[in-house]
Amino acid sequence: MKQSHELLGRLLTAGIALSATCLGVGLILAYIDRARGLPNGPHPLLDAGLIILMVTPFVRVLVSLSEEIRDHNWFFASMTLIVIAVLCVTLWTAMRAA
Amino acid sequence: MRIIASPAVVLIVMAAGAAAGGLGALLGIGGGVFLVPFLNLVVGLPFLSAAGISLMTVLATSSAVSARSSGRQLINLRLGMVLGVATVTGAFAGSLTVGMLADRQLQRLFAIVTAGIALLMLTRLDRRNVILDPTVDPGALGGRYHEQESGGEVTYRIRRLPLGLGVSFVAGVLSILLGIGGGILKVPALNALCGVPMRAAAATSAFMIGVTALAGALKYYVRGDIRPELAAAAVLGVLAGSRAGFWIGDRARAKGLKALMALVLGGVALIYFFK
C-alpha cells in the first residue's frame, strides 16, 4: 500500500511539473510575440499545459483502479470504475454540446 | 485570432492566484472560493470565465496537495473513492446546467454557500474527532494516521455515511457551477458530520476534488470559457502560493485554521450579497 502511495505521489509531482513548465514557457513565448508586434494569440504550449493539468488526476484514478484490481478489492475497484465512467460521460456530453 | 490580455492583467491574476493558493493550501481547500470573486469582481471577467480558470487552479492545487500528503497516510483513499462516486455524479449533473444561469444568480448562490459554511465552521471550533487509543478498530472506511501536533497515532471512524454521500453530491454540483473545488463544503462536512479529523478530511477532500474539478474544467475548456494565458498565470501563481501555504500550515493549529477560514468566508459572502 505504501509503495502505491509513493508511486501516486511521484506521478502527481511529475504531472504538475510538466504542466507548469508548459504554462510558464508558453506564457513567456506568447508575450515575446506580443512585444515584437507579431500577430498574437494564446500560445499552443498554454493549451498543452492545461491539458496535462487535466490528464494528471485522470491518470491517477486509473492507477488507483489497477491497484484495487491487483489487490482483488472488487468493491473499491467498481467504485473507481464508476468514477471513471461518469468522467467519460461528462467529457462526451461537453463535446457534443460544444 | 484572439488578442491576449495585457501583461499587467496577467501579473495581477498571477498575484491573486498566489494569494488564493496560499490560503487554500493553509485551509485544505482549493482556493477557488477566493479566486472566483477576485477574477469576477476585480478583473471583470464573466462569472463563467472566472469559474473555468478557477477550476484549472483547483486541479493544480489538488494534485500538489495529494502529491505532498501521499506518504503520510492522511488521504483516506477508500472513503475518497466511495464519496467520489457521489461527487462526480453531482459534477456531471452540474455540468449539464453550465451556461443556463445568469451571473447575478450565480453570485447570489456563491454568497449563500460561503455564508453557510462560515457559520458551520464557527459552531464547530472546539470539536475534535480523534480517538487516541491505537487499538480501536477504525471500521471499513475509517482510518489511522500519525499526528504531528500531538506526536501520537490517531484513529477515527466514519459516522453518517449517507449524509456524507449527500453532501458530496451537492458539493459536486456547486463545484461546477461556482468554479470552486467543493473542498470548502466537503472538508467541513467530513469533519463536522462524518467524524473525520480536520487534517485527514482536508487530504481526502483534496484527492476527491481533483476528480470533481476535472469534470468541471473539461466542460468549461470545451465550451471555450477559459482564456489560456489567464489560466496559465493563475495556475502558476496558485502553485507558488500553495507552497508558502504548506509551510505555514505545518506550523499552525487546527483551531486557528478553522477560525481563519470562517472569517474569510464571511467576508466573501458579504461582498457578494451587498455588491
PDB file of all heavy atoms in Angstrom, chain A residues 64-77:
ATOM      1  N   SER A  64      -5.156   4.052  -9.427  1.00  0.00           N
ATOM      2  CA  SER A  64      -5.912   3.531  -8.284  1.00  0.00           C
ATOM      3  C   SER A  64      -6.701   2.291  -8.684  1.00  0.00           C
ATOM      4  O   SER A  64      -6.751   1.306  -7.949  1.00  0.00           O
ATOM      5  CB  SER A  64      -6.908   4.568  -7.772  1.00  0.00           C
ATOM      6  OG  SER A  64      -6.261   5.622  -7.157  1.00  0.00           O
ATOM      7  N   LEU A  65      -7.323   2.355  -9.866  1.00  0.00           N
ATOM      8  CA  LEU A  65      -8.122   1.231 -10.345  1.00  0.00           C
ATOM      9  C   LEU A  65      -7.266  -0.019 -10.476  1.00  0.00           C
ATOM     10  O   LEU A  65      -7.636  -1.098  -9.998  1.00  0.00           O
ATOM     11  CB  LEU A  65      -8.768   1.578 -11.696  1.00  0.00           C
ATOM     12  CG  LEU A  65      -9.551   0.446 -12.364  1.00  0.00           C
ATOM     13  CD1 LEU A  65     -10.778   0.085 -11.535  1.00  0.00           C
ATOM     14  CD2 LEU A  65      -9.974   0.825 -13.779  1.00  0.00           C
ATOM     15  N   SER A  66      -6.093   0.137 -11.090  1.00  0.00           N
ATOM     16  CA  SER A  66      -5.236  -1.036 -11.283  1.00  0.00           C
ATOM     17  C   SER A  66      -4.781  -1.606  -9.943  1.00  0.00           C
ATOM     18  O   SER A  66      -4.672  -2.818  -9.773  1.00  0.00           O
ATOM     19  CB  SER A  66      -4.047  -0.684 -12.182  1.00  0.00           C
ATOM     20  OG  SER A  66      -3.159   0.152 -11.496  1.00  0.00           O
ATOM     21  N   GLU A  67      -4.547  -0.728  -8.964  1.00  0.00           N
ATOM     22  CA  GLU A  67      -4.166  -1.190  -7.618  1.00  0.00           C
ATOM     23  C   GLU A  67      -5.282  -2.025  -6.990  1.00  0.00           C
ATOM     24  O   GLU A  67      -5.040  -3.089  -6.428  1.00  0.00           O
ATOM     25  CB  GLU A  67      -3.910   0.012  -6.694  1.00  0.00           C
ATOM     26  CG  GLU A  67      -2.807   0.934  -7.139  1.00  0.00           C
ATOM     27  CD  GLU A  67      -1.444   0.396  -6.773  1.00  0.00           C
ATOM     28  OE1 GLU A  67      -1.391  -0.412  -5.837  1.00  0.00           O
ATOM     29  OE2 GLU A  67      -0.464   0.770  -7.426  1.00  0.00           O
ATOM     30  N   GLU A  68      -6.510  -1.516  -7.093  1.00  0.00           N
ATOM     31  CA  GLU A  68      -7.647  -2.206  -6.473  1.00  0.00           C
ATOM     32  C   GLU A  68      -7.886  -3.561  -7.144  1.00  0.00           C
ATOM     33  O   GLU A  68      -8.218  -4.538  -6.488  1.00  0.00           O
ATOM     34  CB  GLU A  68      -8.920  -1.359  -6.554  1.00  0.00           C
ATOM     35  CG  GLU A  68      -8.842  -0.011  -5.862  1.00  0.00           C
ATOM     36  CD  GLU A  68      -8.739  -0.090  -4.346  1.00  0.00           C
ATOM     37  OE1 GLU A  68      -8.687  -1.212  -3.805  1.00  0.00           O
ATOM     38  OE2 GLU A  68      -8.705   0.970  -3.704  1.00  0.00           O
ATOM     39  N   ILE A  69      -7.703  -3.605  -8.473  1.00  0.00           N
ATOM     40  CA  ILE A  69      -7.890  -4.869  -9.189  1.00  0.00           C
ATOM     41  C   ILE A  69      -6.801  -5.865  -8.783  1.00  0.00           C
ATOM     42  O   ILE A  69      -7.071  -7.030  -8.502  1.00  0.00           O
ATOM     43  CB  ILE A  69      -7.876  -4.634 -10.719  1.00  0.00           C
ATOM     44  CG1 ILE A  69      -9.136  -3.871 -11.137  1.00  0.00           C
ATOM     45  CG2 ILE A  69      -7.784  -5.961 -11.467  1.00  0.00           C
ATOM     46  CD1 ILE A  69      -9.189  -3.481 -12.587  1.00  0.00           C
ATOM     47  N   ARG A  70      -5.564  -5.365  -8.699  1.00  0.00           N
ATOM     48  CA  ARG A  70      -4.449  -6.229  -8.322  1.00  0.00           C
ATOM     49  C   ARG A  70      -4.657  -6.819  -6.925  1.00  0.00           C
ATOM     50  O   ARG A  70      -4.362  -7.966  -6.665  1.00  0.00           O
ATOM     51  CB  ARG A  70      -3.146  -5.423  -8.361  1.00  0.00           C
ATOM     52  CG  ARG A  70      -1.898  -6.292  -8.328  1.00  0.00           C
ATOM     53  CD  ARG A  70      -0.685  -5.456  -7.972  1.00  0.00           C
ATOM     54  NE  ARG A  70      -0.863  -4.821  -6.676  1.00  0.00           N
ATOM     55  CZ  ARG A  70      -0.111  -3.816  -6.230  1.00  0.00           C
ATOM     56  NH1 ARG A  70       0.819  -3.314  -6.994  1.00  0.00           N
ATOM     57  NH2 ARG A  70      -0.321  -3.312  -5.035  1.00  0.00           N
ATOM     58  N   ASP A  71      -5.207  -5.984  -6.025  1.00  0.00           N
ATOM     59  CA  ASP A  71      -5.428  -6.450  -4.653  1.00  0.00           C
ATOM     60  C   ASP A  71      -6.778  -7.163  -4.482  1.00  0.00           C
ATOM     61  O   ASP A  71      -7.166  -7.472  -3.357  1.00  0.00           O
ATOM     62  CB  ASP A  71      -5.349  -5.271  -3.680  1.00  0.00           C
ATOM     63  CG  ASP A  71      -3.976  -4.621  -3.681  1.00  0.00           C
ATOM     64  OD1 ASP A  71      -3.032  -5.259  -4.202  1.00  0.00           O
ATOM     65  OD2 ASP A  71      -3.847  -3.494  -3.190  1.00  0.00           O
ATOM     66  N   HIS A  72      -7.511  -7.379  -5.578  1.00  0.00           N
ATOM     67  CA  HIS A  72      -8.817  -8.043  -5.555  1.00  0.00           C
ATOM     68  C   HIS A  72      -9.830  -7.350  -4.653  1.00  0.00           C
ATOM     69  O   HIS A  72     -10.661  -7.988  -4.021  1.00  0.00           O
ATOM     70  CB  HIS A  72      -8.679  -9.516  -5.134  1.00  0.00           C
ATOM     71  CG  HIS A  72      -7.780 -10.282  -6.044  1.00  0.00           C
ATOM     72  ND1 HIS A  72      -8.191 -10.769  -7.264  1.00  0.00           N
ATOM     73  CD2 HIS A  72      -6.477 -10.617  -5.929  1.00  0.00           C
ATOM     74  CE1 HIS A  72      -7.177 -11.384  -7.849  1.00  0.00           C
ATOM     75  NE2 HIS A  72      -6.124 -11.299  -7.066  1.00  0.00           N
ATOM     76  N   ASN A  73      -9.739  -6.029  -4.566  1.00  0.00           N
ATOM     77  CA  ASN A  73     -10.743  -5.272  -3.816  1.00  0.00           C
ATOM     78  C   ASN A  73     -11.868  -4.915  -4.783  1.00  0.00           C
ATOM     79  O   ASN A  73     -11.926  -3.795  -5.291  1.00  0.00           O
ATOM     80  CB  ASN A  73     -10.141  -3.980  -3.252  1.00  0.00           C
ATOM     81  CG  ASN A  73      -9.182  -4.265  -2.131  1.00  0.00           C
ATOM     82  OD1 ASN A  73      -9.371  -5.215  -1.375  1.00  0.00           O
ATOM     83  ND2 ASN A  73      -8.147  -3.459  -2.027  1.00  0.00           N
ATOM     84  N   TRP A  74     -12.767  -5.841  -5.026  1.00  0.00           N
ATOM     85  CA  TRP A  74     -13.743  -5.631  -6.097  1.00  0.00           C
ATOM     86  C   TRP A  74     -14.700  -4.489  -5.816  1.00  0.00           C
ATOM     87  O   TRP A  74     -15.107  -3.776  -6.725  1.00  0.00           O
ATOM     88  CB  TRP A  74     -14.500  -6.923  -6.404  1.00  0.00           C
ATOM     89  CG  TRP A  74     -13.542  -8.016  -6.769  1.00  0.00           C
ATOM     90  CD1 TRP A  74     -13.365  -9.197  -6.125  1.00  0.00           C
ATOM     91  CD2 TRP A  74     -12.594  -8.006  -7.853  1.00  0.00           C
ATOM     92  NE1 TRP A  74     -12.360  -9.921  -6.725  1.00  0.00           N
ATOM     93  CE2 TRP A  74     -11.874  -9.228  -7.783  1.00  0.00           C
ATOM     94  CE3 TRP A  74     -12.257  -7.091  -8.849  1.00  0.00           C
ATOM     95  CZ2 TRP A  74     -10.858  -9.552  -8.688  1.00  0.00           C
ATOM     96  CZ3 TRP A  74     -11.243  -7.417  -9.744  1.00  0.00           C
ATOM     97  CH2 TRP A  74     -10.566  -8.632  -9.662  1.00  0.00           C
ATOM     98  N   PHE A  75     -15.070  -4.320  -4.534  1.00  0.00           N
ATOM     99  CA  PHE A  75     -15.996  -3.224  -4.221  1.00  0.00           C
ATOM    100  C   PHE A  75     -15.374  -1.879  -4.569  1.00  0.00           C
ATOM    101  O   PHE A  75     -15.971  -1.049  -5.255  1.00  0.00           O
ATOM    102  CB  PHE A  75     -16.396  -3.271  -2.737  1.00  0.00           C
ATOM    103  CG  PHE A  75     -17.263  -2.126  -2.326  1.00  0.00           C
ATOM    104  CD1 PHE A  75     -18.593  -2.071  -2.744  1.00  0.00           C
ATOM    105  CD2 PHE A  75     -16.761  -1.092  -1.548  1.00  0.00           C
ATOM    106  CE1 PHE A  75     -19.398  -1.010  -2.380  1.00  0.00           C
ATOM    107  CE2 PHE A  75     -17.566  -0.017  -1.189  1.00  0.00           C
ATOM    108  CZ  PHE A  75     -18.894   0.023  -1.602  1.00  0.00           C
ATOM    109  N   PHE A  76     -14.112  -1.676  -4.131  1.00  0.00           N
ATOM    110  CA  PHE A  76     -13.475  -0.385  -4.389  1.00  0.00           C
ATOM    111  C   PHE A  76     -13.079  -0.241  -5.857  1.00  0.00           C
ATOM    112  O   PHE A  76     -13.071   0.863  -6.391  1.00  0.00           O
ATOM    113  CB  PHE A  76     -12.287  -0.194  -3.449  1.00  0.00           C
ATOM    114  CG  PHE A  76     -12.728  -0.014  -2.034  1.00  0.00           C
ATOM    115  CD1 PHE A  76     -12.657  -1.051  -1.122  1.00  0.00           C
ATOM    116  CD2 PHE A  76     -13.298   1.183  -1.640  1.00  0.00           C
ATOM    117  CE1 PHE A  76     -13.106  -0.882   0.175  1.00  0.00           C
ATOM    118  CE2 PHE A  76     -13.763   1.356  -0.351  1.00  0.00           C
ATOM    119  CZ  PHE A  76     -13.668   0.322   0.565  1.00  0.00           C
ATOM    120  N   ALA A  77     -12.772  -1.368  -6.505  1.00  0.00           N
ATOM    121  CA  ALA A  77     -12.476  -1.308  -7.944  1.00  0.00           C
ATOM    122  C   ALA A  77     -13.704  -0.826  -8.707  1.00  0.00           C
ATOM    123  O   ALA A  77     -13.610   0.010  -9.603  1.00  0.00           O
ATOM    124  CB  ALA A  77     -12.046  -2.683  -8.447  1.00  0.00           C
TER     125      ALA A  77
END
